[in-house]
């Protein structure tokens, strides 16, 4: 399968058409951005690391009954995915207080939650992804009611599967962002699951092993991503 035409270039990935109209190639770059694009940089080898992490997690989710856009990883920076129409919604699942939630609620990072929190954001770079709720989704026609219900239920199932997966590898899944899309009438998990879009803390030391190391200039960014890759590859099932 070869990359034909570039159809979209995002912050961390580029999408190309292929000879198969149903399939795209998602190319993982080393570029990193934070603070709504105001902070820009490169994390050495990130594209290769994230492609491997995401491929491993998508395969694992598929084995556990979650439908994803993942098809194959033919190259170290390339993932073959099913072509989807993406819902313009970012779904954030939170198990522990961190990031924007800590700020919004005036709480310390690391505070426990009585329940998992699920948040919705409108996917719009120029607007800085504003937070929305279910009635915004309906009122603006971002998804149908039954689609949103399925998306939310799937996000919570993914949280249960991945929290356990990471816990078994000595890592706390603090929070993460998911995107979903429609492919031939079916809702699939899209995008990527990597340290760019997840908060992952070492269970023993609570050390941050994710993009917060880049956002907050904590150093050893590549090392943290590599450590996560090593952990997700453990017990190879
Ligand atoms: N996240 C993301 N893309 C975004 C916003 C958030 O991948 O545009 C992820 C982020 O990495 C974290 C979770 O979603 O794992 C929650 O992020 P938060 O709302 O705390 O925002 P942040 O402080 O990271 O901007």
């Amino acid at each position: 399968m070869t990359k034909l035409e570039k159809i979209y270039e995002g912050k961390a990935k580029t999408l190309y058409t292929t000879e198969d109209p149903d399939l795209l190639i998602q190319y993982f770059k080393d570029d990193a951005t934070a603070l709504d694009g105001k902070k820009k940089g490169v994390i050495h080898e990130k594209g290769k690391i994230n492609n491997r992490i995401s491929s491993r997690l998508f395969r694992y989710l598929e084995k556990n009954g979650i439908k994803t856009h993942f098809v194959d990883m033919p190259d170290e920076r390339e993932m073959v995915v099913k072509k989807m129409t993406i819902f313009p919604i970012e779904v954030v699942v939170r198990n522990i207080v961190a990031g924007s939630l800590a700020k919004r609620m005036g709480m310390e990072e690391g505070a426990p939650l009585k329940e998992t929190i699920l948040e919705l954001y409108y996917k719009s770079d120029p607007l800085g992804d504003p937070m929305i709720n279910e009635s915004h989704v309906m009122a603006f026609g971002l998804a149908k009611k039954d689609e949103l219900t399925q998306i939310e239920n799937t996000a919570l199932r993914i949280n249960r599967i991945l929290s356990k997966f990471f816990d078994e590898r000595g890592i706390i899944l603090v929070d993460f962002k998911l995107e979903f899309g429609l492919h031939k009438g079916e809702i699939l998990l899209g995008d990527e699951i990597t340290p760019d879009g997840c908060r992952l803390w070492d269970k023993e030391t609570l050390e941050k092993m994710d993009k917060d190391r880049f956002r907050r200039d904590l150093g050893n960014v590549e090392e943290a991503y590599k450590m996560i890759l090593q952990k997700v590859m453990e017990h190879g099932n």
Side-chain angles (χ1 to χ4, degrees):
M1 189 145 293
T2 41
K3 302 198 285 297
L4 296 180
E5 191 193 341
K6 187 197 279 193
I7 52 166
Y8 174 79
E9 175 142 19
K11 286 165 273 186
K13 298 186 297 293
T14 310
L15 276 180
Y16 296 88
T17 57
T18 67
E19 50 270 38
D20 185 332
D22 289 330
L23 301 178
L24 299 176
I25 287 177
Q26 185 164 254
Y27 180 92
F28 286 75
K29 304 189 285 183
D30 289 345
D31 299 347
T33 61
L35 310 171
D36 284 334
K38 288 191 274 288
K39 183 180 168 79
K40 286 195 173 73
V42 165
I43 302 171
H44 183 61
E45 302 283 270
K46 175 170 80 81
K48 295 182 194 176
I49 299 169
N50 277 359
N51 191 21
R52 291 181 67 193
I53 293 173
S54 208
S55 295
R56 164 78 171 121
L57 294 177
F58 280 139
R59 281 196 180 108
Y60 185 77
L61 287 171
E62 289 277 356
K63 263 175 73 175
N64 284 273
I66 303 291
K67 293 191 166 121
T68 79
H69 69 160
F70 177 81
V71 176
D72 193 15
M73 196 192 91
D75 180 87
E76 55 185 9
R77 285 181 185 271
E78 294 178 12
M79 185 191 283
V80 178
V81 297
K82 292 177 184 164
K83 186 176 183 177
M84 300 195 295
T85 310
I86 291 274
F87 293 102
I89 301 170
E90 298 195 345
V91 183
V92 168
V93 181
R94 302 180 182 274
N95 297 307
I96 290 176
V97 175
S100 70
L101 179 66
K103 230 181 237 170
R104 195 175 340 122
M105 298 300 289
M107 290 178 75
E108 289 289 323
E109 283 205 313
L113 293 167
K114 288 194 168 61
E115 283 186 22
T116 299
I117 292 177
L118 194 146
E119 295 171 345
L120 305 175
Y121 294 84
Y122 177 47
K123 197 170 146 58
S124 163
D125 282 339
L127 298 177
D129 301 341
M131 193 192 241
I132 53 172
N133 64 26
E134 294 184 8
S135 49
H136 296 89
V137 173
M138 295 307 125
F140 291 104
L142 306 180
K144 297 189 188 120
K145 194 165 184 82
D146 61 317
E147 291 171 335
L148 183 60
T149 304
Q150 197 187 321
I151 287 170
E152 291 182 332
N153 288 339
T154 306
L156 293 173
R157 273 177 67 206
I158 292 170
N159 183 45
R160 287 191 288 274
I161 296 165
L162 291 186
S163 291
K164 182 165 177 284
F165 176 93
F166 280 111
D167 180 71
E168 287 167 359
R169 290 158 177 82
I171 294 162
I172 305 171
L173 179 58
V174 173
D175 58 32
F176 59 100
K177 186 263 291 178
L178 300 173
E179 294 182 26
F180 292 86
L182 271 177
H183 171 84
K184 298 184 174 177
E186 203 171 40
I187 295 179
L188 306 178
L189 174 66
D191 196 43
E192 63 177 68
I193 304 180
T194 67
D196 274 7
C198 300
R199 285 198 169 87
L200 300 162
W201 296 355
D202 184 293
K203 207 156 86 178
E204 300 299 323
T205 64
L206 299 183
E207 198 182 348
K208 298 181 197 310
M209 308 296 287
D210 54 59
K211 198 170 155 190
D212 275 346
R213 300 204 72 82
F214 170 77
R215 292 187 187 102
R216 303 177 190 188
D217 295 320
L218 300 176
N220 296 329
V221 187
E222 189 192 336
E223 289 74 9
Y225 277 59
K226 277 191 175 149
M227 179 61 76
I228 294 298
L229 172 61
Q230 194 188 319
K231 297 271 187 195
V232 304
M233 291 300 172
E234 276 173 18
H235 320 296
N237 55 347

